[in-house]
Amino acid sequence: MAENRPVVFIHGLWLHATSWEPWIEKFRAAGYDPVAPGWPNEADTVEAARANPDAVADKGIDEVAAHFGEVANGLGEETILIGHSFGGLIAEKLLGEGVGAGAVAIDPAQIKGVLPLPLAQLRSGFPALGNPTNLHKSVALTKPQFRYGFGNAVSEEESDALFERWTIPSPARPLFQAAAANFQMHSPAAVDTKRHPRGPLLLISGTADHTVPDVVTRSTLKQYRDAMTVNELQQFEGRGHSLTIDSGWNEVADAVLAWLKTQGL
């Protein structure tokens, strides 16, 4: 079933689209046809994105979802969506809109209806949420902030190397939208969790994740309790938010490929 099936990889805040390169190679070798587009106005390289941070400022969830939805629809209805962090939220949102044949949301940002807000998550989001004027700006993480939010489950040396290789400034607006989701009737972070029919969904969490703690992902799964389609959760013990890019990424990618196979995707 994998032969030439399109896959759209969707990254989250503070990582560049090229952070998916190892996954692209692995999925292509497995027979898929993968792509990893950047967010709207994202530069083609990490260096260029860092040099022009304002290019991505003020981009919100709806705009990003529309961007990736256009990409996925252009590749056909057999397309698989795989997102990390806010990319996971986008994958869920698009699947709920009937886009794609299935989706994998890895450490997905919280959708509307998810109530837990652990202190670790608040601290991870503070670089953006700590200043209300950041709403219309792009924000970059410092090396210590990346270490806490992404690289807490790997060595400091590896965390610093990942920071130098992949991080870019990102719009703060999606964080503000997710934080306010449960106080708005029509939030951009709302997802149609009951849509039927639709493709299957896999949620993945790292139990040591600070940015999207495991309890948040487990609560996300509960939002799908009334769905009539496949919704599953896989947990990776002791893994943090960097699980898609750190030295253990291959284990996560293998699990995704195995799950896609079980779903006939």
Side-chain angles (χ1 to χ4, degrees):
M1 296 295 291
E3 192 65 31
N4 299 322
R5 184 186 285 269
V7 177
V8 176
F9 288 101
I10 310 170
H11 70 83
L13 297 179
W14 296 309
L15 295 179
H16 191 265
T18 53
S19 63
W20 286 114
E21 284 176 352
W23 289 70
I24 292 283
E25 294 177 9
K26 188 177 187 71
F27 272 67
R28 185 173 291 123
Y32 293 92
D33 186 13
V35 296
W39 281 34
N41 292 356
E42 182 180 312
D44 290 339
T45 67
V46 170
E47 293 74 17
R50 290 172 178 170
N52 187 19
D54 292 339
V56 297
D58 213 23
K59 304 300 180 186
I61 292 172
D62 282 340
E63 187 173 356
V64 177
H67 170 74
F68 283 100
E70 184 176 356
V71 172
N73 284 327
L75 295 174
E77 61 183 18
E78 295 299 305
T79 301
I80 297 166
L81 308 168
I82 300 179
H84 172 246
S85 197
F86 261 96
L89 183 153
I90 298 299
E92 289 182 72
K93 187 175 179 72
L94 291 175
L95 192 67
E97 294 173 356
V99 178
V104 180
I106 305 169
D107 295 338
Q110 64 196 73
I111 63 176
K112 180 178 172 64
V114 173
L115 299 179
L117 193 60
L119 289 176
Q121 185 179 20
L122 288 172
R123 180 176 170 184
S124 296
F126 189 77
L129 297 174
N131 184 346
T133 65
N134 285 337
L135 173 62
H136 303 292
K137 300 177 180 178
S138 64
V139 175
L141 296 181
T142 65
K143 193 174 292 185
Q145 288 168 343
F146 179 85
R147 168 73 168 151
Y148 182 81
F150 281 75
N152 61 292
V154 298
S155 69
E156 185 173 0
E157 180 181 13
E158 182 176 2
S159 178
D160 290 351
L162 295 172
F163 174 85
E164 295 294 346
R165 186 176 185 184
W166 300 124
T167 59
I168 60 171
S170 292
R173 177 178 284 274
L175 274 169
F176 282 91
Q177 291 176 324
N182 291 328
F183 305 99
Q184 297 177 340
M185 183 174 296
H186 302 292
S187 167
V191 168
D192 184 355
T193 58
K194 299 179 183 178
R195 182 185 181 95
H196 183 77
R198 67 156 170 80
L201 171 68
L202 173 65
L203 301 175
I204 289 178
S205 71
T207 62
D209 194 328
H210 283 169
T211 298
V212 184
D214 179 60
V215 65
V216 173
T217 308
R218 286 188 279 115
S219 180
T220 298
L221 180 65
K222 291 179 181 178
Q223 302 306 306
Y224 290 90
R225 59 186 172 270
D226 296 326
M228 299 173 66
T229 47
V230 172
N231 305 283
E232 297 180 7
L233 169 67
Q234 288 191 28
Q235 296 163 295
F236 284 82
E237 194 67 31
R239 300 296 297 277
H241 205 60
S242 67
L243 82 175
T244 58
I245 57 171
D246 61 33
S247 56
W249 73 270
N250 205 47
E251 179 188 8
V252 183
D254 282 341
V256 172
L257 284 169
W259 181 82
L260 291 174
K261 185 176 181 179
T262 66
Q263 300 302 319
L265 298 173

